[in-house]
Amino acid sequence: MKAWIQVPKTNIDYPVVQGQDDMEYINKNVYGEFELSGAIFLSCLNKDDFSDPYNLVYGHNMKNLSMFGKLKYYNRDENYYDSHQYFQILVDGKKYRYQIFSYETVSDDSDEYTVGFEPDETFGKFVQRMAASSMKDTGIVPTKDDKVVTLSTCSTSGETYRFVVHGVRVDEH
């Protein structure tokens, strides 16, 4: 276990693991046992302390709304965002709070799956594009100096699409 993720007012309240590759926890739970729902996991390319400018967290979109199944409500209910604007990640005795600034459906080979950014103009343009592509204008546009986490899950739009929710770190305790 590397961290813990919580989305208040939802059932998203899970440990976050990290594998040797991004397929390790697709159908394996946090104990290493086979489970179709897998686990919530951080990209193997990210530092495990969420210190990268851009971090990518995966979870299945389960029909019973477990794992990242509730994320679909951002897409389905235009008022959902109003009462679900934040999530938090607990890691190394710290609590990072993120405000959701964008959510969208993307292809599984989109730029959202690029990890390894530096806090530079390329990253700044990347997060500006995320904000501009959002299904809802939140009025929040991160900068190159911010820390961003993307929550990724399967989309109902088809096999090669993913639904992603982007959050920018707004405080730390």
Side-chain angles (χ1 to χ4, degrees):
M1 187 177 94
K2 302 296 181 179
W4 198 276
I5 186 168
Q6 298 172 323
V7 180
K9 301 179 187 176
T10 74
N11 61 341
I12 299 173
D13 189 5
Y14 294 103
V16 178
V17 294
Q18 187 177 39
Q20 297 298 314
D21 61 47
D22 287 343
M23 295 303 292
E24 186 172 340
Y25 285 98
I26 290 286
N27 293 122
K28 187 164 67 170
N29 65 22
V30 297
Y31 304 107
E33 302 160 339
F34 176 80
E35 193 166 319
L36 282 176
S37 61
I40 304 298
F41 62 94
L42 176 65
S43 171
C44 67
L45 301 174
N46 281 121
K47 294 177 189 153
D48 65 3
D49 62 357
F50 287 80
S51 63
D52 288 326
Y54 181 63
N55 297 274
L56 184 55
V57 178
Y58 297 93
H60 282 301
N61 180 353
M62 303 302 291
K63 287 181 183 177
N64 69 2
L65 303 180
S66 66
M67 306 313 274
F68 279 174
K70 286 256 175 139
L71 294 182
K72 70 182 86 170
Y73 289 120
Y74 288 101
N75 188 19
R76 292 185 177 171
D77 178 353
E78 66 182 52
N79 298 316
Y80 192 75
Y81 174 82
D82 298 333
S83 59
H84 298 88
Q85 293 183 36
Y86 298 93
F87 63 90
Q88 56 196 22
I89 294 177
L90 294 81
V91 60
D92 293 337
K94 296 176 185 169
K95 184 191 310 183
Y96 298 129
R97 187 168 176 233
Y98 296 84
Q99 185 169 17
I100 295 166
F101 68 92
S102 174
Y103 46 90
E104 59 185 318
T105 299
V106 299
S107 66
D108 61 5
D109 62 353
S110 74
D111 289 342
E112 276 74 6
Y113 297 99
T114 302
V115 178
F117 285 98
E118 295 297 325
D120 58 18
E121 292 307 315
T122 301
F123 181 63
K125 289 177 183 175
F126 175 68
V127 294
Q128 287 173 4
R129 189 206 47 78
M130 285 177 172
S133 299
S134 182
M135 293 174 167
K136 179 181 184 77
D137 181 2
T138 64
I140 303 164
V141 181
T143 70
K144 67 179 180 66
D145 299 314
D146 285 318
K147 303 280 188 197
V148 172
V149 169
T150 289
L151 309 180
S152 174
T153 194
C154 294
S155 169
T156 56
S157 298
E159 265 183 42
T160 61
Y161 291 94
R162 304 290 177 260
F163 186 69
V164 290
V165 175
H166 310 293
V168 60
R169 189 182 297 174
V170 292
D171 57 44
E172 170 184 334
H173 297 285

PDB file of all heavy atoms in Angstrom, residues 58-84:
ATOM      1  N   TYR A  58      -5.512   4.666 -11.237  1.00  0.00           N
ATOM      2  CA  TYR A  58      -6.470   3.850 -11.978  1.00  0.00           C
ATOM      3  C   TYR A  58      -7.404   3.092 -11.030  1.00  0.00           C
ATOM      4  O   TYR A  58      -6.993   2.679  -9.944  1.00  0.00           O
ATOM      5  CB  TYR A  58      -5.739   2.780 -12.792  1.00  0.00           C
ATOM      6  CG  TYR A  58      -4.824   3.271 -13.865  1.00  0.00           C
ATOM      7  CD1 TYR A  58      -3.463   3.469 -13.607  1.00  0.00           C
ATOM      8  CD2 TYR A  58      -5.284   3.502 -15.157  1.00  0.00           C
ATOM      9  CE1 TYR A  58      -2.599   3.886 -14.612  1.00  0.00           C
ATOM     10  CE2 TYR A  58      -4.434   3.921 -16.162  1.00  0.00           C
ATOM     11  CZ  TYR A  58      -3.092   4.109 -15.880  1.00  0.00           C
ATOM     12  OH  TYR A  58      -2.234   4.525 -16.869  1.00  0.00           O
ATOM     13  N   GLY A  59      -8.629   2.856 -11.498  1.00  0.00           N
ATOM     14  CA  GLY A  59      -9.575   2.009 -10.786  1.00  0.00           C
ATOM     15  C   GLY A  59     -10.682   1.583 -11.734  1.00  0.00           C
ATOM     16  O   GLY A  59     -11.068   2.333 -12.631  1.00  0.00           O
ATOM     17  N   HIS A  60     -11.186   0.369 -11.547  1.00  0.00           N
ATOM     18  CA  HIS A  60     -12.256  -0.128 -12.411  1.00  0.00           C
ATOM     19  C   HIS A  60     -13.571   0.626 -12.172  1.00  0.00           C
ATOM     20  O   HIS A  60     -13.853   1.091 -11.075  1.00  0.00           O
ATOM     21  CB  HIS A  60     -12.497  -1.623 -12.170  1.00  0.00           C
ATOM     22  CG  HIS A  60     -11.497  -2.508 -12.823  1.00  0.00           C
ATOM     23  ND1 HIS A  60     -11.265  -2.519 -14.174  1.00  0.00           N
ATOM     24  CD2 HIS A  60     -10.662  -3.445 -12.293  1.00  0.00           C
ATOM     25  CE1 HIS A  60     -10.338  -3.414 -14.468  1.00  0.00           C
ATOM     26  NE2 HIS A  60      -9.942  -3.979 -13.342  1.00  0.00           N
ATOM     27  N   ASN A  61     -14.385   0.697 -13.219  1.00  0.00           N
ATOM     28  CA  ASN A  61     -15.710   1.289 -13.190  1.00  0.00           C
ATOM     29  C   ASN A  61     -16.692   0.133 -12.995  1.00  0.00           C
ATOM     30  O   ASN A  61     -17.203  -0.419 -13.956  1.00  0.00           O
ATOM     31  CB  ASN A  61     -15.969   2.018 -14.515  1.00  0.00           C
ATOM     32  CG  ASN A  61     -17.321   2.677 -14.574  1.00  0.00           C
ATOM     33  OD1 ASN A  61     -18.151   2.518 -13.695  1.00  0.00           O
ATOM     34  ND2 ASN A  61     -17.554   3.401 -15.650  1.00  0.00           N
ATOM     35  N   MET A  62     -16.947  -0.222 -11.754  1.00  0.00           N
ATOM     36  CA  MET A  62     -17.765  -1.394 -11.458  1.00  0.00           C
ATOM     37  C   MET A  62     -19.262  -1.064 -11.510  1.00  0.00           C
ATOM     38  O   MET A  62     -19.687   0.014 -11.079  1.00  0.00           O
ATOM     39  CB  MET A  62     -17.401  -1.948 -10.077  1.00  0.00           C
ATOM     40  CG  MET A  62     -15.923  -2.318  -9.928  1.00  0.00           C
ATOM     41  SD  MET A  62     -15.348  -3.545 -11.112  1.00  0.00           S
ATOM     42  CE  MET A  62     -16.210  -4.987 -10.530  1.00  0.00           C
ATOM     43  N   LYS A  63     -20.040  -2.000 -12.038  1.00  0.00           N
ATOM     44  CA  LYS A  63     -21.492  -1.804 -12.140  1.00  0.00           C
ATOM     45  C   LYS A  63     -22.139  -1.620 -10.773  1.00  0.00           C
ATOM     46  O   LYS A  63     -23.141  -0.921 -10.651  1.00  0.00           O
ATOM     47  CB  LYS A  63     -22.135  -2.992 -12.868  1.00  0.00           C
ATOM     48  CG  LYS A  63     -21.844  -2.997 -14.343  1.00  0.00           C
ATOM     49  CD  LYS A  63     -22.515  -4.164 -15.039  1.00  0.00           C
ATOM     50  CE  LYS A  63     -22.138  -4.161 -16.510  1.00  0.00           C
ATOM     51  NZ  LYS A  63     -22.688  -5.303 -17.225  1.00  0.00           N
ATOM     52  N   ASN A  64     -21.578  -2.249  -9.744  1.00  0.00           N
ATOM     53  CA  ASN A  64     -22.137  -2.112  -8.400  1.00  0.00           C
ATOM     54  C   ASN A  64     -21.659  -0.830  -7.708  1.00  0.00           C
ATOM     55  O   ASN A  64     -21.890  -0.637  -6.523  1.00  0.00           O
ATOM     56  CB  ASN A  64     -21.821  -3.339  -7.540  1.00  0.00           C
ATOM     57  CG  ASN A  64     -20.348  -3.458  -7.186  1.00  0.00           C
ATOM     58  OD1 ASN A  64     -19.514  -2.615  -7.541  1.00  0.00           O
ATOM     59  ND2 ASN A  64     -20.007  -4.524  -6.476  1.00  0.00           N
ATOM     60  N   LEU A  65     -20.990   0.038  -8.466  1.00  0.00           N
ATOM     61  CA  LEU A  65     -20.509   1.353  -8.033  1.00  0.00           C
ATOM     62  C   LEU A  65     -19.326   1.294  -7.067  1.00  0.00           C
ATOM     63  O   LEU A  65     -18.951   2.313  -6.495  1.00  0.00           O
ATOM     64  CB  LEU A  65     -21.643   2.204  -7.444  1.00  0.00           C
ATOM     65  CG  LEU A  65     -22.838   2.432  -8.375  1.00  0.00           C
ATOM     66  CD1 LEU A  65     -23.898   3.279  -7.675  1.00  0.00           C
ATOM     67  CD2 LEU A  65     -22.395   3.095  -9.674  1.00  0.00           C
ATOM     68  N   SER A  66     -18.733   0.111  -6.898  1.00  0.00           N
ATOM     69  CA  SER A  66     -17.515   0.041  -6.092  1.00  0.00           C
ATOM     70  C   SER A  66     -16.332   0.527  -6.919  1.00  0.00           C
ATOM     71  O   SER A  66     -16.477   0.888  -8.087  1.00  0.00           O
ATOM     72  CB  SER A  66     -17.286  -1.390  -5.590  1.00  0.00           C
ATOM     73  OG  SER A  66     -17.026  -2.255  -6.680  1.00  0.00           O
ATOM     74  N   MET A  67     -15.180   0.554  -6.306  1.00  0.00           N
ATOM     75  CA  MET A  67     -13.943   1.051  -6.912  1.00  0.00           C
ATOM     76  C   MET A  67     -14.210   2.471  -7.440  1.00  0.00           C
ATOM     77  O   MET A  67     -14.680   3.294  -6.687  1.00  0.00           O
ATOM     78  CB  MET A  67     -13.428   0.093  -7.990  1.00  0.00           C
ATOM     79  CG  MET A  67     -13.248  -1.346  -7.481  1.00  0.00           C
ATOM     80  SD  MET A  67     -12.371  -1.474  -5.911  1.00  0.00           S
ATOM     81  CE  MET A  67     -10.688  -1.477  -6.464  1.00  0.00           C
ATOM     82  N   PHE A  68     -13.951   2.761  -8.715  1.00  0.00           N
ATOM     83  CA  PHE A  68     -14.202   4.094  -9.264  1.00  0.00           C
ATOM     84  C   PHE A  68     -15.550   4.173  -9.984  1.00  0.00           C
ATOM     85  O   PHE A  68     -15.787   5.049 -10.817  1.00  0.00           O
ATOM     86  CB  PHE A  68     -13.079   4.509 -10.210  1.00  0.00           C
ATOM     87  CG  PHE A  68     -11.848   5.050  -9.520  1.00  0.00           C
ATOM     88  CD1 PHE A  68     -10.713   5.336 -10.266  1.00  0.00           C
ATOM     89  CD2 PHE A  68     -11.802   5.287  -8.163  1.00  0.00           C
ATOM     90  CE1 PHE A  68      -9.566   5.839  -9.666  1.00  0.00           C
ATOM     91  CE2 PHE A  68     -10.666   5.788  -7.536  1.00  0.00           C
ATOM     92  CZ  PHE A  68      -9.545   6.071  -8.301  1.00  0.00           C
ATOM     93  N   GLY A  69     -16.476   3.283  -9.646  1.00  0.00           N
ATOM     94  CA  GLY A  69     -17.779   3.252 -10.291  1.00  0.00           C
ATOM     95  C   GLY A  69     -18.589   4.524 -10.130  1.00  0.00           C
ATOM     96  O   GLY A  69     -19.356   4.903 -11.008  1.00  0.00           O
ATOM     97  N   LYS A  70     -18.440   5.228  -9.019  1.00  0.00           N
ATOM     98  CA  LYS A  70     -19.213   6.456  -8.782  1.00  0.00           C
ATOM     99  C   LYS A  70     -18.715   7.631  -9.609  1.00  0.00           C
ATOM    100  O   LYS A  70     -19.415   8.628  -9.738  1.00  0.00           O
ATOM    101  CB  LYS A  70     -19.170   6.829  -7.297  1.00  0.00           C
ATOM    102  CG  LYS A  70     -20.014   5.944  -6.423  1.00  0.00           C
ATOM    103  CD  LYS A  70     -21.277   6.651  -6.027  1.00  0.00           C
ATOM    104  CE  LYS A  70     -22.158   5.702  -5.255  1.00  0.00           C
ATOM    105  NZ  LYS A  70     -22.805   6.305  -4.136  1.00  0.00           N
ATOM    106  N   LEU A  71     -17.512   7.538 -10.181  1.00  0.00           N
ATOM    107  CA  LEU A  71     -17.013   8.661 -10.984  1.00  0.00           C
ATOM    108  C   LEU A  71     -17.916   8.961 -12.167  1.00  0.00           C
ATOM    109  O   LEU A  71     -17.994  10.097 -12.632  1.00  0.00           O
ATOM    110  CB  LEU A  71     -15.586   8.389 -11.471  1.00  0.00           C
ATOM    111  CG  LEU A  71     -14.493   8.320 -10.405  1.00  0.00           C
ATOM    112  CD1 LEU A  71     -13.139   8.090 -11.066  1.00  0.00           C
ATOM    113  CD2 LEU A  71     -14.477   9.562  -9.526  1.00  0.00           C
ATOM    114  N   LYS A  72     -18.636   7.955 -12.650  1.00  0.00           N
ATOM    115  CA  LYS A  72     -19.509   8.150 -13.816  1.00  0.00           C
ATOM    116  C   LYS A  72     -20.582   9.204 -13.571  1.00  0.00           C
ATOM    117  O   LYS A  72     -21.107   9.789 -14.499  1.00  0.00           O
ATOM    118  CB  LYS A  72     -20.137   6.834 -14.273  1.00  0.00           C
ATOM    119  CG  LYS A  72     -21.172   6.266 -13.330  1.00  0.00           C
ATOM    120  CD  LYS A  72     -21.729   4.940 -13.798  1.00  0.00           C
ATOM    121  CE  LYS A  72     -20.841   3.880 -13.314  1.00  0.00           C
ATOM    122  NZ  LYS A  72     -21.108   2.554 -13.370  1.00  0.00           N
ATOM    123  N   TYR A  73     -20.914   9.484 -12.299  1.00  0.00           N
ATOM    124  CA  TYR A  73     -21.947  10.464 -12.006  1.00  0.00           C
ATOM    125  C   TYR A  73     -21.537  11.886 -12.375  1.00  0.00           C
ATOM    126  O   TYR A  73     -22.395  12.736 -12.598  1.00  0.00           O
ATOM    127  CB  TYR A  73     -22.377  10.384 -10.541  1.00  0.00           C
ATOM    128  CG  TYR A  73     -23.175   9.134 -10.269  1.00  0.00           C
ATOM    129  CD1 TYR A  73     -22.746   8.196  -9.356  1.00  0.00           C
ATOM    130  CD2 TYR A  73     -24.364   8.891 -10.947  1.00  0.00           C
ATOM    131  CE1 TYR A  73     -23.470   7.041  -9.122  1.00  0.00           C
ATOM    132  CE2 TYR A  73     -25.104   7.731 -10.718  1.00  0.00           C
ATOM    133  CZ  TYR A  73     -24.650   6.824  -9.803  1.00  0.00           C
ATOM    134  OH  TYR A  73     -25.362   5.680  -9.566  1.00  0.00           O
ATOM    135  N   TYR A  74     -20.232  12.165 -12.450  1.00  0.00           N
ATOM    136  CA  TYR A  74     -19.811  13.486 -12.928  1.00  0.00           C
ATOM    137  C   TYR A  74     -20.318  13.696 -14.350  1.00  0.00           C
ATOM    138  O   TYR A  74     -20.716  14.797 -14.717  1.00  0.00           O
ATOM    139  CB  TYR A  74     -18.286  13.631 -12.895  1.00  0.00           C
ATOM    140  CG  TYR A  74     -17.736  13.751 -11.498  1.00  0.00           C
ATOM    141  CD1 TYR A  74     -17.148  12.665 -10.869  1.00  0.00           C
ATOM    142  CD2 TYR A  74     -17.811  14.958 -10.804  1.00  0.00           C
ATOM    143  CE1 TYR A  74     -16.648  12.773  -9.588  1.00  0.00           C
ATOM    144  CE2 TYR A  74     -17.318  15.074  -9.513  1.00  0.00           C
ATOM    145  CZ  TYR A  74     -16.740  13.972  -8.908  1.00  0.00           C
ATOM    146  OH  TYR A  74     -16.255  14.076  -7.628  1.00  0.00           O
ATOM    147  N   ASN A  75     -20.305  12.643 -15.133  1.00  0.00           N
ATOM    148  CA  ASN A  75     -20.730  12.685 -16.522  1.00  0.00           C
ATOM    149  C   ASN A  75     -22.253  12.624 -16.662  1.00  0.00           C
ATOM    150  O   ASN A  75     -22.816  13.195 -17.587  1.00  0.00           O
ATOM    151  CB  ASN A  75     -20.081  11.517 -17.272  1.00  0.00           C
ATOM    152  CG  ASN A  75     -20.297  11.551 -18.757  1.00  0.00           C
ATOM    153  OD1 ASN A  75     -20.620  12.581 -19.330  1.00  0.00           O
ATOM    154  ND2 ASN A  75     -20.123  10.420 -19.391  1.00  0.00           N
ATOM    155  N   ARG A  76     -22.919  11.969 -15.747  1.00  0.00           N
ATOM    156  CA  ARG A  76     -24.353  11.709 -15.882  1.00  0.00           C
ATOM    157  C   ARG A  76     -25.265  12.727 -15.213  1.00  0.00           C
ATOM    158  O   ARG A  76     -26.428  12.844 -15.573  1.00  0.00           O
ATOM    159  CB  ARG A  76     -24.681  10.319 -15.315  1.00  0.00           C
ATOM    160  CG  ARG A  76     -24.094   9.222 -16.141  1.00  0.00           C
ATOM    161  CD  ARG A  76     -24.539   7.886 -15.630  1.00  0.00           C
ATOM    162  NE  ARG A  76     -24.012   6.831 -16.479  1.00  0.00           N
ATOM    163  CZ  ARG A  76     -24.086   5.563 -16.185  1.00  0.00           C
ATOM    164  NH1 ARG A  76     -24.680   5.170 -15.081  1.00  0.00           N
ATOM    165  NH2 ARG A  76     -23.575   4.665 -17.005  1.00  0.00           N
ATOM    166  N   ASP A  77     -24.752  13.409 -14.197  1.00  0.00           N
ATOM    167  CA  ASP A  77     -25.592  14.328 -13.421  1.00  0.00           C
ATOM    168  C   ASP A  77     -24.893  15.684 -13.363  1.00  0.00           C
ATOM    169  O   ASP A  77     -23.867  15.828 -12.709  1.00  0.00           O
ATOM    170  CB  ASP A  77     -25.802  13.761 -12.015  1.00  0.00           C
ATOM    171  CG  ASP A  77     -26.620  14.664 -11.108  1.00  0.00           C
ATOM    172  OD1 ASP A  77     -26.943  15.809 -11.498  1.00  0.00           O
ATOM    173  OD2 ASP A  77     -26.923  14.230  -9.982  1.00  0.00           O
ATOM    174  N   GLU A  78     -25.446  16.672 -14.043  1.00  0.00           N
ATOM    175  CA  GLU A  78     -24.774  17.970 -14.138  1.00  0.00           C
ATOM    176  C   GLU A  78     -24.619  18.658 -12.786  1.00  0.00           C
ATOM    177  O   GLU A  78     -23.802  19.558 -12.634  1.00  0.00           O
ATOM    178  CB  GLU A  78     -25.492  18.885 -15.127  1.00  0.00           C
ATOM    179  CG  GLU A  78     -26.882  19.295 -14.707  1.00  0.00           C
ATOM    180  CD  GLU A  78     -27.568  20.159 -15.753  1.00  0.00           C
ATOM    181  OE1 GLU A  78     -27.600  19.744 -16.920  1.00  0.00           O
ATOM    182  OE2 GLU A  78     -28.077  21.223 -15.383  1.00  0.00           O
ATOM    183  N   ASN A  79     -25.383  18.254 -11.781  1.00  0.00           N
ATOM    184  CA  ASN A  79     -25.275  18.857 -10.448  1.00  0.00           C
ATOM    185  C   ASN A  79     -24.347  18.087  -9.513  1.00  0.00           C
ATOM    186  O   ASN A  79     -24.091  18.540  -8.402  1.00  0.00           O
ATOM    187  CB  ASN A  79     -26.666  18.973  -9.815  1.00  0.00           C
ATOM    188  CG  ASN A  79     -27.562  19.880 -10.627  1.00  0.00           C
ATOM    189  OD1 ASN A  79     -27.145  20.955 -11.061  1.00  0.00           O
ATOM    190  ND2 ASN A  79     -28.786  19.441 -10.855  1.00  0.00           N
ATOM    191  N   TYR A  80     -23.873  16.927  -9.928  1.00  0.00           N
ATOM    192  CA  TYR A  80     -23.049  16.072  -9.067  1.00  0.00           C
ATOM    193  C   TYR A  80     -21.776  16.793  -8.619  1.00  0.00           C
ATOM    194  O   TYR A  80     -21.377  16.703  -7.459  1.00  0.00           O
ATOM    195  CB  TYR A  80     -22.697  14.776  -9.804  1.00  0.00           C
ATOM    196  CG  TYR A  80     -22.093  13.712  -8.926  1.00  0.00           C
ATOM    197  CD1 TYR A  80     -22.874  12.985  -8.041  1.00  0.00           C
ATOM    198  CD2 TYR A  80     -20.734  13.418  -9.002  1.00  0.00           C
ATOM    199  CE1 TYR A  80     -22.326  12.002  -7.239  1.00  0.00           C
ATOM    200  CE2 TYR A  80     -20.175  12.432  -8.203  1.00  0.00           C
ATOM    201  CZ  TYR A  80     -20.973  11.733  -7.330  1.00  0.00           C
ATOM    202  OH  TYR A  80     -20.418  10.761  -6.527  1.00  0.00           O
ATOM    203  N   TYR A  81     -21.157  17.511  -9.540  1.00  0.00           N
ATOM    204  CA  TYR A  81     -19.913  18.211  -9.225  1.00  0.00           C
ATOM    205  C   TYR A  81     -20.089  19.167  -8.042  1.00  0.00           C
ATOM    206  O   TYR A  81     -19.197  19.289  -7.197  1.00  0.00           O
ATOM    207  CB  TYR A  81     -19.411  18.987 -10.453  1.00  0.00           C
ATOM    208  CG  TYR A  81     -18.213  19.845 -10.160  1.00  0.00           C
ATOM    209  CD1 TYR A  81     -16.931  19.299 -10.145  1.00  0.00           C
ATOM    210  CD2 TYR A  81     -18.343  21.207  -9.892  1.00  0.00           C
ATOM    211  CE1 TYR A  81     -15.819  20.084  -9.867  1.00  0.00           C
ATOM    212  CE2 TYR A  81     -17.240  21.994  -9.614  1.00  0.00           C
ATOM    213  CZ  TYR A  81     -15.980  21.431  -9.594  1.00  0.00           C
ATOM    214  OH  TYR A  81     -14.886  22.212  -9.306  1.00  0.00           O
ATOM    215  N   ASP A  82     -21.234  19.841  -7.971  1.00  0.00           N
ATOM    216  CA  ASP A  82     -21.447  20.852  -6.936  1.00  0.00           C
ATOM    217  C   ASP A  82     -21.236  20.314  -5.521  1.00  0.00           C
ATOM    218  O   ASP A  82     -20.731  21.028  -4.657  1.00  0.00           O
ATOM    219  CB  ASP A  82     -22.845  21.457  -7.066  1.00  0.00           C
ATOM    220  CG  ASP A  82     -23.029  22.177  -8.398  1.00  0.00           C
ATOM    221  OD1 ASP A  82     -22.024  22.651  -8.974  1.00  0.00           O
ATOM    222  OD2 ASP A  82     -24.182  22.245  -8.868  1.00  0.00           O
ATOM    223  N   SER A  83     -21.600  19.070  -5.286  1.00  0.00           N
ATOM    224  CA  SER A  83     -21.437  18.488  -3.946  1.00  0.00           C
ATOM    225  C   SER A  83     -20.305  17.460  -3.876  1.00  0.00           C
ATOM    226  O   SER A  83     -20.138  16.799  -2.856  1.00  0.00           O
ATOM    227  CB  SER A  83     -22.750  17.856  -3.479  1.00  0.00           C
ATOM    228  OG  SER A  83     -23.158  16.860  -4.388  1.00  0.00           O
ATOM    229  N   HIS A  84     -19.528  17.351  -4.952  1.00  0.00           N
ATOM    230  CA  HIS A  84     -18.415  16.391  -4.999  1.00  0.00           C
ATOM    231  C   HIS A  84     -17.207  17.011  -5.712  1.00  0.00           C
ATOM    232  O   HIS A  84     -16.704  16.480  -6.683  1.00  0.00           O
ATOM    233  CB  HIS A  84     -18.839  15.110  -5.731  1.00  0.00           C
ATOM    234  CG  HIS A  84     -19.960  14.391  -5.066  1.00  0.00           C
ATOM    235  ND1 HIS A  84     -21.280  14.667  -5.339  1.00  0.00           N
ATOM    236  CD2 HIS A  84     -19.962  13.423  -4.134  1.00  0.00           C
ATOM    237  CE1 HIS A  84     -22.041  13.886  -4.595  1.00  0.00           C
ATOM    238  NE2 HIS A  84     -21.269  13.115  -3.850  1.00  0.00           N
TER     239      HIS A  84
END
